[in-house]
Amino acid sequence: MTYANALVQGLLLGGLFALFACGLSLMFGVMEVINLAHGDIAVAAAYLAVVLVPLTHIPAVWIFVLVVPAFMVGGYFGQRLLIQRSLDEGPVTTLLVTFGLSVVLENVLLEVFTGNDQSLNIGSLVSGSFSVRGVILPYLSIMILGAALVALAAVQFFLSRTKTGRMVRAVADDREAAQLVGADYRHLFGIAAALASGTVALAGLALSMYTTVNPNTGPSYLLYGFAAVVIGGLGSLWGTLLGGMVLGVAMTMGSLVDPDFGAMLPYLVFLAVLAFRPRGLFPKKAIA
Amino acid sequence: MTLLELDCVTKRFGRVTVAESLSLEVAETELLGVVGPNGAGKTSLFSIISGDLEPDEGRVVFAGQVINRLGSASRCRLGIGRTYQVPRPFERMTVFENVLVAAQEGAGLRGRASGEQAYSSLETTGLAADANRPAGSLGLLSRKRLEMARALATRPRLLLLDEVAAGLTDPEVSELVAIVRWARSGASGAQPVAVVWVEHVVRALSGTTDRLICLDSGSVIADGRPEDVLADPAVRDVFLGTDEVTPARAQAEGPEVMHRESPTAAQQHSAQQHGAQQHSAQSPSARSLGTQPVGGQ
């Protein structure tokens, strides 16, 4: 029963990792940008929520209605004004710029909010659960997985069924050829960055409900995100979800042995996948 | 009426000049063929027109508007369509999606209209049956068709065709030529388009174009009726300079060295040269593309 419990908790945790990973996958798949500030954007979103909840009296569970759109707009302009300029200079510049952004975000948060842990207070929901045949199902974890499923499905739908989404895929496939059929790739890169920023903001909110965050939390979740992307297979959104679940299960199963092992096992799995299935467990060529 | 005008356009990369005070006019609905040896600046010419390259000097004017500083996406929406020499479909999308994207973004169509435009472009190019296949699974001929379908779906007023015949067999070339004619005639429902067609395989052009120019080192060295251009001593000279044939053989056979792949085409041209009065007898039908000699010896 302990194992069944750990398995289910791990699967539920997978949703959170998938939310972190989805934007990384998009940014790399569409414009070949490795965004090192990805985790810090999530943490920034959590801090924005911490500020907004007392100001607006919107319940913490619903604060995403404000935070996610704000981060989508921010993502769009961040891409157009910052990342696009570095893209024109080459891949190393892009890496440096996103690393710089990461450092700046962390230090601004540290300056404004100090290094204390923060979390979003969602009342009794944080500890509420029900059990099915002895397996404990926390409401919050189920909510987070549900949010991840909805977000991934929405991104998937956008990319495969809408006019703009198709253009994003065309630009990801061949930027020059896409321009020749009239696509403004800068705008479409902005759209992809908006999606990436929006989904990772959602991940940040979920994280700050689930546990605490501080200004230095970002990079470790950036790593989990990368691991989920690589395990799932680059460019596949549903693969990313499965990658997240593999990570989650590795974490909870490892914790059964020893809490420290629980932190380490996901990375061992990550290394094993890199060694034996370097294209991921569910490789797919296309984004989405 | 002039649709496209290049006015003293120069483009250099370091010491390499791909366009040297190049001036060129293309009239509306004209079909202009462009030939030249490797490295003559043919593809660069297209890049300058389509917006992939910005010229160092000179003006590019399309439909009365100077477009030097417009990006290729904006130029596409203005009505300049281009195909690549090596087809570049969006491999991870279906054939239909490839063309749909072009109809929506390039031609600015929405909803049903975009779907209909996409489908008619596929029909024009004979790809309708493959609409739902992933574009990455297509063979070379189908990729070339898709390249053309995608360009047509943007509803161009000017279509730039880059070495459509390269890598194809004679019957395949004839098929693509037929598609170009069909598209140009306006029979597909769209307005008639002007075509600039760069080709290394000259026989694909002869009999199809009204006018031919020959490029060398980024300059136009001959401009006129195809048979006159191919007979031009300067043009012959340029092709002699390549290592495609030995000078002795080239001298013996004249400008047809450009298409050593096809002895029949060579024969056709010699036939025309030897019987000058036969020029007007050249049939403009696709069937004459190097498959049979037109003029008698």
Side-chain angles (χ1 to χ4, degrees):
Chain A
M1 195 47 71
T2 354
Y3 286 103
N5 239 324
L7 180 69
V8 171
Q9 309 311 330
L11 291 176
L12 290 174
L13 196 55
L16 181 61
F17 291 144
L19 274 182
F20 270 101
C22 155
L24 279 176
S25 184
L26 264 177
M27 291 291 283
F28 188 78
V30 174
M31 61 198 100
E32 295 189 358
V33 166
I34 294 174
N35 181 8
L36 294 177
H38 198 67
D40 301 291
I41 294 172
V43 174
Y47 274 92
L48 180 62
V50 167
V51 171
L52 281 181
V53 168
L55 273 181
T56 58
H57 301 292
I58 294 174
V61 177
W62 293 105
I63 198 67
F64 74 87
V65 174
L66 289 181
V67 174
V68 170
F71 271 73
M72 289 180 78
V73 173
Y76 182 87
F77 288 104
Q79 149 64 27
R80 294 299 301 262
L81 301 175
L82 193 66
I83 297 181
Q84 184 58 53
R85 288 173 187 216
S86 62
L87 262 180
D88 297 337
E89 299 294 319
V92 178
T93 314
T94 317
L95 210 57
L96 289 174
V97 163
T98 62
F99 182 65
L101 182 63
S102 160
V103 173
V104 168
L105 276 177
E106 277 176 44
N107 284 291
V108 166
L109 291 177
L110 201 60
E111 194 64 37
V112 178
F113 296 98
T114 75
N116 293 340
D117 284 349
Q118 302 273 357
S119 73
L120 270 183
N121 183 1
I122 50 169
S124 61
L125 198 57
V126 72
S127 55
S129 67
F130 63 101
S131 73
V132 178
R133 297 175 171 216
V135 175
I136 300 162
L137 296 166
Y139 293 128
L140 180 60
S141 299
I142 292 176
M143 250 174 50
I144 291 174
L145 179 61
L149 289 176
V150 170
L152 290 179
V155 171
Q156 174 81 48
F157 178 84
F158 173 77
L159 289 175
S160 58
R161 293 267 175 263
T162 68
K163 171 176 174 287
T164 312
R166 262 193 299 272
M167 288 315 303
V168 171
R169 280 157 63 213
V171 166
D173 205 315
D174 189 331
R175 189 194 308 177
E176 278 178 36
Q179 278 176 277
L180 277 195
V181 297
D184 175 1
Y185 78 94
R186 289 185 178 85
H187 171 64
L188 295 159
F189 278 8
I191 300 274
L195 289 177
S197 176
T199 51
V200 83
L202 198 57
L205 298 182
L207 184 69
S208 63
M209 294 176 196
Y210 194 74
T211 173
T212 60
V213 296
N214 64 50
N216 299 317
T217 309
S220 58
Y221 281 88
L222 173 71
L223 273 185
Y224 284 128
F226 272 133
V229 171
V230 171
I231 293 174
L234 193 65
S236 154
L237 283 181
W238 297 116
T240 301
L241 178 65
L242 290 168
M245 288 181 161
V246 168
L247 272 189
V249 171
M251 189 178 272
T252 52
M253 289 289 190
S255 300
L256 286 182
V257 181
D258 181 281
D260 285 339
F261 189 59
M264 194 172 76
L265 189 57
Y267 294 113
L268 290 180
V269 173
F270 173 48
L271 285 178
V273 169
L274 274 182
F276 299 109
R277 293 287 300 269
R279 299 195 50 212
L281 296 180
F282 314 98
K284 193 182 168 191
K285 273 192 184 159
I287 62 156
Chain B
M1 207 188 113
T2 307
L3 180 62
L4 174 81
E5 187 191 349
L6 298 191
D7 184 16
C8 284
V9 168
T10 298
K11 177 74 191 175
R12 294 188 187 90
F13 295 102
R15 287 163 62 197
V16 180
T17 303
V18 293
E20 177 73 57
S21 316
L22 202 150
S23 293
L24 181 65
E25 283 188 20
V26 181
E28 242 158 320
T29 75
E30 182 177 14
L31 200 167
L32 171 68
V34 180
V35 296
N38 290 327
K42 302 188 297 279
T43 296
S44 300
L45 171 69
F46 271 15
S47 297
I48 287 169
I49 299 173
S50 72
D52 287 346
L53 285 182
E54 198 182 318
D56 301 328
E57 290 161 35
R59 296 185 313 156
V60 183
V61 186
F62 181 74
Q65 184 184 349
V66 178
I67 56 170
N68 276 35
R69 303 202 56 86
L70 285 185
S72 45
S74 315
R75 293 192 195 191
C76 168
R77 284 183 229 127
L78 270 184
I80 300 181
R82 175 187 183 175
T83 68
Y84 282 107
Q85 182 177 343
V86 178
R88 292 168 70 168
F90 305 126
E91 306 212 351
R92 298 149 186 180
M93 300 168 75
T94 67
V95 168
F96 185 75
E97 281 180 320
N98 263 270
V99 185
L100 183 62
V101 153
Q104 290 179 332
E105 211 65 18
L109 299 171
R110 320 211 154 244
R112 268 182 74 94
S114 63
E116 281 164 10
Q117 171 66 55
Y119 193 75
S120 88
S121 300
L122 288 181
E123 279 200 315
T124 303
T125 50
L127 272 176
D130 296 315
N132 290 319
R133 283 178 62 180
S137 72
L138 297 178
L140 179 63
L141 177 61
S142 295
R143 280 171 183 249
K144 296 229 170 193
R145 290 168 186 268
L146 178 56
E147 194 75 12
M148 214 180 283
R150 205 169 57 180
L152 287 174
T154 66
R155 292 202 170 164
R157 294 174 68 188
L158 173 69
L159 182 59
L160 307 172
L161 299 175
D162 198 352
E163 304 219 3
V164 170
L168 297 182
T169 64
D170 280 0
E172 288 172 341
V173 171
S174 307
E175 265 182 65
L176 288 180
V177 170
I179 291 170
V180 175
R181 287 163 173 281
W182 168 256
R184 234 167 68 75
S185 68
S188 53
Q191 79 270 37
V193 288
V195 176
V196 179
W197 187 345
V198 160
E199 199 61 76
H200 203 68
V201 184
V202 180
R203 70 181 181 284
L205 285 177
S206 50
T208 312
T209 61
D210 323 317
R211 194 178 134 209
L212 196 64
I213 63 170
C214 179
L215 285 184
D216 183 43
S217 309
S219 304
V220 178
I221 59 165
D223 181 346
R225 301 200 319 166
E227 53 274 27
D228 296 339
V229 168
L230 292 175
D232 190 300
V235 175
R236 297 175 60 163
D237 206 37
V238 161
F239 280 94
L240 290 185
T242 69
D243 56 1
E244 301 213 335
V245 284
T246 62
R249 187 189 152 209
Q251 236 150 19
E253 295 189 0
E256 51 276 15
V257 294
M258 283 172 274
H259 28 76
R260 57 165 181 179
E261 304 93 320
S262 162
T264 40
Q267 204 182 343
Q268 174 189 342
H269 284 294
S270 358
Q272 282 165 12
Q273 268 161 14
H274 296 147
Q277 77 281 13
Q278 299 277 357
H279 280 175
S280 57
Q282 188 176 16
S283 154
S285 84
R287 304 188 64 79
S288 71
L289 292 175
T291 49
Q292 62 198 55
V294 177
Q297 292 279 131

